[in-house]
Amino acid sequence: MNSPAPNPVLAELIKHIGSERKLCVAFSGGLDSSVLLAALVTLRDSQWPELSLRAIHVHHGLSQFADSWVSHCQTFCQQQGVPLEVIRVKVDSQQDGIEAAARKARYQAFANSLARDECLLTAQHLNDQCETFILALKRGSGPAGLSSMAVDGVRQHYRLLRPLLSLSRDQLEEFASAAQLSWIEDDSNRDARFDRNFLRLDVLPALYQRWPHFPDAVARSAALCAEQESLLDELLAESLQALQSSDGGLQIEPIQAMSSPRRQALLRRWLAQQGAKMPSREQLQRIWDEVAMCRDDAEPQFRLNTLSIRRFRQRLYLLPAKLPSLCEVVVPWDIANKLILPEGLGSLTVERLADSSQQGLRLPASDEVVTIRFTAQGRVEKVGRQHGRSLKKLWPELGVAPWERERTPLMFYNEQLVAAPGLFITQQGVAEQGQPHYQMVWHRGVADG
């Protein structure tokens, strides 16, 4: 006698979750996430007793029913024996529209809450994938956008799984009916002003009626696009690595000699590697024309959402669009201890040089107070130069990019500038022959450990 076929929802979870056992569900209280959470509870209670399972509900404050949704989610999770965390967020819709802003706030809430060894599960399904593909098509996206959603991926510091992506909404409704689940119906889902709802309510039902397997065909197209992108990633990875400097800058000259499609593919991967939102084809061309190809004495910038693409010494750099000024910052420092710098700039230490023949920094005298600042007045008498120069003229000579010039830590003894880490020591700070020689070391981006 043949054994009954496994439930498709449970089968997909077993297939995609694998050995992961510390799971967190993004729980809206709607049909999809209710099925996902209930199915995981079934697996926990029947097959995976070692499963650590919890849920997060994000309260956006956008609906008059938001508080009642929280109550429903709390009751549902209590019945399932699953801990629930409710996170309230503020949605700023001025830049990208309310849908994108809510999504951004939601995923940032997940990132802030998840432990590093915790896997986030979301409940998108086959029909969601179809909608995402068509929206990407509407935007004129290339293969990367048309790849739509991946079952398995990484977002910030955590793994993101969408284990229901190959199942239709009808299959989820069958599971919910059999399990006698109750769920929330979001009133905003009936508002056809939103693009996704317009597709869901007015467009896709006709397509599904004419072509019942349309979502499956779209999913195959999305998978083929994802394969092409993966292949390009593999083929271009070595080139991209060779074109990048240690500080993340991208060399312009070698790319200039490439064909336009190859150049644009490399630029997209460089931007994606650094967490930038993917630019349109027009924006990508403007980045090349207006930043990479501008005249040598210019300091061009191209704004890409909250980031800025800039050029320095024939390299492109991706930076925050707004870097706070540190000109007024003065940080006292006991050089026997590590100093944590402001604005995530890392830390400083003072270390003795093993080689006494190297030019090194002297220790401060007993009446000299050590501070770190980010600007200096007057002429800098750098060791190795015959004449002093202003810091403004010294920075280009040292190859320091414009945006780094007010973010490079400067060591002072009382009111005297004595050193910049890895760049110079002044005549007033240099150790004399016979004295121990020290160096100031800047651990960029490393504030602890």
Side-chain angles (χ1 to χ4, degrees), residues 316-366:
L316 294 176
Y317 292 89
L318 186 66
L319 307 160
K322 293 183 179 179
L323 291 169
S325 174
L326 298 175
C327 289
E328 304 300 320
V329 173
V330 178
V331 186
W333 185 15
D334 173 7
I335 61 172
N337 300 309
K338 177 188 292 186
L339 176 70
I340 306 301
L341 293 168
E343 296 297 330
L345 289 175
S347 61
L348 295 174
T349 56
V350 170
E351 301 172 9
R352 186 164 180 171
L353 289 169
D355 184 358
S356 59
S357 65
Q358 288 183 271
Q359 199 76 64
L361 179 71
R362 67 176 176 86
L363 292 179
S366 59

Side-chain angles (χ1 to χ4, degrees), residues 58 60 62 91 96-110 124 132 135 139 155 162 196 277:
V58 177
H60 299 92
L62 297 174
V91 177
D96 297 319
I98 196 165
E99 288 179 286
R103 188 183 311 111
K104 181 179 179 182
R106 186 163 58 250
Y107 277 100
Q108 188 57 55
F110 297 146
Q124 290 96 344
T132 301
L135 288 171
R139 292 192 298 269
R155 197 172 185 125
R162 300 182 180 95
R196 189 175 288 272
K277 184 178 179 181

Side-chain angles (χ1 to χ4, degrees), residues 22 47 91-92 100 140 195 224 236 282 297 307 336 350 376 422 432:
K22 194 168 184 179
Q47 299 184 41
V91 177
D92 180 8
D195 289 345
L224 287 170
L236 293 175
E282 180 189 1
D297 60 345
L307 299 172
V350 170
E432 296 179 1

Side-chain angles (χ1 to χ4, degrees), residues 326-444:
L326 298 175
C327 289
E328 304 300 320
V329 173
V330 178
V331 186
W333 185 15
D334 173 7
I335 61 172
N337 300 309
K338 177 188 292 186
L339 176 70
I340 306 301
L341 293 168
E343 296 297 330
L345 289 175
S347 61
L348 295 174
T349 56
V350 170
E351 301 172 9
R352 186 164 180 171
L353 289 169
D355 184 358
S356 59
S357 65
Q358 288 183 271
Q359 199 76 64
L361 179 71
R362 67 176 176 86
L363 292 179
S366 59
D367 61 346
E368 290 178 318
V369 175
V370 182
T371 57
I372 293 296
R373 309 178 192 186
F374 295 87
T375 188
Q377 305 300 319
R379 299 177 75 81
V380 178
E381 297 178 355
K382 175 181 174 293
V383 170
R385 282 188 62 90
Q386 191 171 0
H387 303 290
R389 302 195 74 183
S390 69
L391 200 57
K392 183 178 180 179
K393 293 184 177 180
L394 191 58
W395 284 138
E397 179 184 310
L398 295 170
V400 178
W403 57 88
E404 292 278 340
R405 293 171 191 175
E406 292 182 355
R407 298 175 67 80
T408 297
L410 305 172
M411 177 186 268
F412 282 75
Y413 290 172
N414 290 339
E415 296 302 310
Q416 178 61 56
L417 173 62
V418 295
L423 295 170
F424 64 80
I425 298 171
T426 68
Q427 297 287 357
Q428 296 82 3
V430 69
E432 296 179 1
Q433 191 173 2
Q435 289 182 326
H437 290 223
Y438 292 83
Q439 63 177 339
M440 176 171 47
V441 181
W442 187 4
H443 309 274
R444 291 175 180 258

Side-chain angles (χ1 to χ4, degrees), residues 31-288:
L31 167 69
D32 314 337
S33 60
S34 298
V35 168
L36 175 59
L37 189 59
L40 286 168
V41 168
T42 298
L43 289 175
R44 180 194 66 186
D45 295 346
S46 62
Q47 299 184 41
W48 297 342
E50 73 281 14
L51 181 65
S52 172
L53 180 62
R54 71 183 185 103
I56 294 176
H57 177 80
V58 177
H59 184 303
H60 299 92
L62 297 174
S63 170
Q64 60 180 321
F65 305 112
D67 290 336
S68 65
W69 294 345
V70 169
S71 298
H72 169 87
C73 291
Q74 289 171 331
T75 300
F76 187 97
C77 288
Q78 187 175 20
Q79 292 170 346
Q80 299 290 333
V82 175
L84 174 70
E85 179 183 4
V86 177
I87 302 177
R88 295 174 182 267
V89 299
K90 290 183 178 180
V91 177
D92 180 8
S93 61
Q94 292 183 350
Q95 188 173 41
D96 297 319
I98 196 165
E99 288 179 286
R103 188 183 311 111
K104 181 179 179 182
R106 186 163 58 250
Y107 277 100
Q108 188 57 55
F110 297 146
N112 293 341
S113 174
L114 288 165
R116 289 198 171 271
D117 58 347
E118 205 169 21
C119 177
L120 179 69
L121 273 64
T122 59
Q124 290 96 344
H125 50 73
L126 186 63
N127 302 80
D128 295 325
Q129 183 77 310
C130 184
E131 294 162 7
T132 301
F133 183 93
I134 294 176
L135 288 171
L137 197 65
K138 185 265 296 184
R139 292 192 298 269
S141 299
L146 295 174
S147 299
S148 302
M149 295 178 285
V151 173
D152 195 347
V154 176
R155 197 172 185 125
Q156 295 192 31
H157 61 77
Y158 61 88
R159 185 182 181 193
L160 172 62
L161 278 178
R162 300 182 180 95
L164 306 181
L165 207 53
S166 65
L167 301 177
S168 68
R169 180 179 172 87
D170 288 345
Q171 288 175 296
L172 302 192
E173 287 179 344
E174 288 174 11
F175 183 97
S177 177
Q180 298 183 323
L181 302 180
S182 61
W183 61 85
I184 294 165
E185 291 288 357
D186 187 342
D187 56 310
S188 69
N189 288 339
R190 308 301 303 175
D191 188 347
R193 291 177 301 171
F194 298 122
D195 289 345
R196 189 175 288 272
N197 289 348
F198 169 69
L199 283 178
R200 188 176 298 162
L201 299 171
D202 298 341
V203 177
L204 289 172
L207 295 178
Y208 295 162
Q209 185 175 6
R210 173 107 181 172
W211 300 302
H213 298 294
F214 184 75
D216 299 281
V218 167
R220 286 196 298 275
S221 293
L224 287 170
C225 288
E227 285 182 13
Q228 294 299 312
E229 280 298 292
S230 179
L231 177 60
L232 273 176
D233 285 342
E234 187 178 330
L235 293 174
L236 293 175
E238 189 174 336
S239 295
L240 184 58
Q241 184 177 3
L243 289 165
Q244 289 188 82
S245 54
S246 58
D247 58 0
L250 186 70
Q251 297 177 56
I252 294 171
E253 190 173 351
I255 300 177
Q256 190 175 357
M258 296 177 182
S259 68
S260 178
R262 184 179 179 88
R263 179 167 62 239
Q264 293 203 351
L266 281 165
L267 285 172
R268 284 194 187 95
R269 279 153 183 79
W270 174 68
L271 291 169
Q273 193 179 78
Q274 300 191 64
K277 184 178 179 181
M278 203 46 48
S280 67
R281 188 176 185 180
E282 180 189 1
Q283 287 176 316
L284 205 63
Q285 190 61 50
R286 288 184 59 195
I287 289 168
W288 183 254

